[in-house]
Amino acid sequence: MSDRASKTDPQGVRLQKVLAQAGIASRRAAEDLIAQGRVSVDGKVVGEMGRRVDPDSAVIHVDGVRVVVREDLSYLAFHKPIGVHTTMHDDQGRPCVGDYVRNKTDTGGPRLFHVGRLDVETEGLLLLTNDGELAHRLTHPSYEVAKTYLADVPGTIPKDLGKRLRAGVELEDGLAKVDSFKLVDALPGQSLIELVLHEGRNHVVRRLLDAVGFPVFRLVRTAVGEVRLGNQRPGTLRPLNRPEVGSLFSAVGL
Ligand code: URA
């Protein structure tokens, strides 16, 4: 039992109260979820109504989706603008992600950090969190979640390019390949393509497209796993919603 729970109640907090505080449902509706066998704690479906849990350590799922009950954890989507460095602090005073986060978020818990990175010239979705375990898994090669990019490239895309990129292209640090490739728009002298990759090596999309003769002149990351950038404006932050957080946990087996 953690300090917080043990200080308030040595037995823990009633599950329906924890679910209600996490915004899942009213206490009454949470009781129904429990009665319907839709709630599990630490991997086991809860069968009894009086169950108490430690909100700081219990792993709770509703309908198989992880529910975050810790109030000190934050999960945010940031639209990193072009020209902003993916660091929380820049010694040389260059624009960085930290400039957008400071004073705008007060999580009351551990400091936020960025999950992976985007090149200074790349814009788009960057996740920020203070949940070290989730961030670690999201960037770990064995869990790498799919990331979706839109790239503007010069010229006309040959029919076999998708096949070549799916098969893999040898880069200086090994083979890189895409999971999927789609031509989104073809304009005179310019093409817009969408690529989905699992990996996170430095500059991998730019290097990959360079290697096949299509140097990128604009790159936007539009999704990380099931979390989408949508029409979020550059420079803005938004909290992820519950299904989005749940989808990230599921993607990395938490
Ligand atoms: N690939 C790149 O080339 N740049 C990024 O920022 C991310 C992936």
Side-chain angles (χ1 to χ4, degrees):
M1 191 72 48
S2 77
D3 281 356
R4 194 179 76 171
S6 53
K7 266 180 214 143
T8 48
D9 188 330
Q11 318 273 286
V13 183
R14 275 187 192 277
L15 185 54
Q16 56 268 46
K17 184 175 176 187
V18 171
L19 290 172
Q21 283 173 341
I24 306 302
S26 66
R27 280 194 208 191
R28 180 73 197 82
E31 284 171 7
D32 289 344
L33 291 174
I34 297 167
Q36 289 158 10
R38 293 165 62 185
V39 182
S40 72
V41 174
D42 298 333
K44 293 207 182 76
V45 173
V46 176
E48 80 279 6
M49 202 44 77
R51 178 69 183 269
R52 288 173 181 268
V53 297
D54 177 351
D56 285 348
S57 62
V59 175
I60 301 175
H61 287 79
V62 175
D63 292 334
V65 176
R66 174 84 177 265
V67 169
V68 178
V69 295
R70 277 183 52 183
E71 288 165 4
D72 59 330
L73 293 181
S74 290
Y75 305 91
L76 302 169
F78 176 54
H79 185 159
K80 187 189 93 61
I82 293 173
V84 172
H85 291 258
T86 306
T87 49
M88 299 314 276
H89 176 79
D90 190 85
D91 286 340
Q92 297 165 53
R94 297 172 301 183
C96 71
V97 174
D99 300 341
Y100 293 82
V101 172
R102 275 185 279 283
N103 307 325
K104 293 200 183 99
T105 54
D106 178 13
T107 65
R111 285 225 311 257
L112 288 170
F113 39 88
H114 48 88
V115 179
R117 52 181 60 249
L118 289 175
D119 304 337
V120 64
E121 289 310 323
T122 299
E123 64 180 298
L125 181 62
L126 186 68
L127 301 178
L128 304 174
T129 185
N130 53 7
D131 183 336
E133 176 67 11
L134 180 70
H136 172 72
R137 292 203 183 195
L138 284 171
T139 49
H140 196 276
S142 58
Y143 293 104
E144 288 280 6
V145 298
K147 294 166 232 13
T148 308
Y149 298 88
L150 272 179
D152 273 304
V153 294
T156 306
I157 300 297
K159 276 210 166 60
D160 68 342
L161 188 66
K163 198 171 159 197
R164 280 174 68 197
L165 292 172
R166 278 192 296 272
V169 174
E170 201 59 54
L171 302 179
E172 59 187 23
D173 53 355
L175 196 73
K177 54 183 168 183
V178 304
D179 299 329
S180 72
F181 170 92
K182 191 164 80 182
L183 178 64
V184 176
D185 207 359
L187 303 165
Q190 182 179 334
S191 303
L192 180 65
I193 55 183
E194 186 188 80
L195 310 95
V196 180
L197 288 89
H198 267 85
E199 64 154 292
R201 269 180 286 169
N202 271 352
H203 312 297
V204 68
V205 175
R206 291 176 190 276
R207 290 193 288 133
L208 186 58
L209 290 172
D210 249 355
V212 291
F214 290 94
V216 171
F217 57 83
R218 181 166 180 234
L219 185 61
V220 184
R221 182 155 73 191
T222 56
V224 175
E226 289 175 26
V227 179
R228 309 212 135 262
L229 184 63
N231 53 12
Q232 189 178 336
R233 291 200 322 274
T236 60
L237 288 160
R238 71 170 176 90
L240 299 187
N241 60 35
R242 230 173 340 105
E244 286 174 325
V245 176
S247 75
L248 292 174
F249 278 117
S250 302
V252 297
L254 281 172

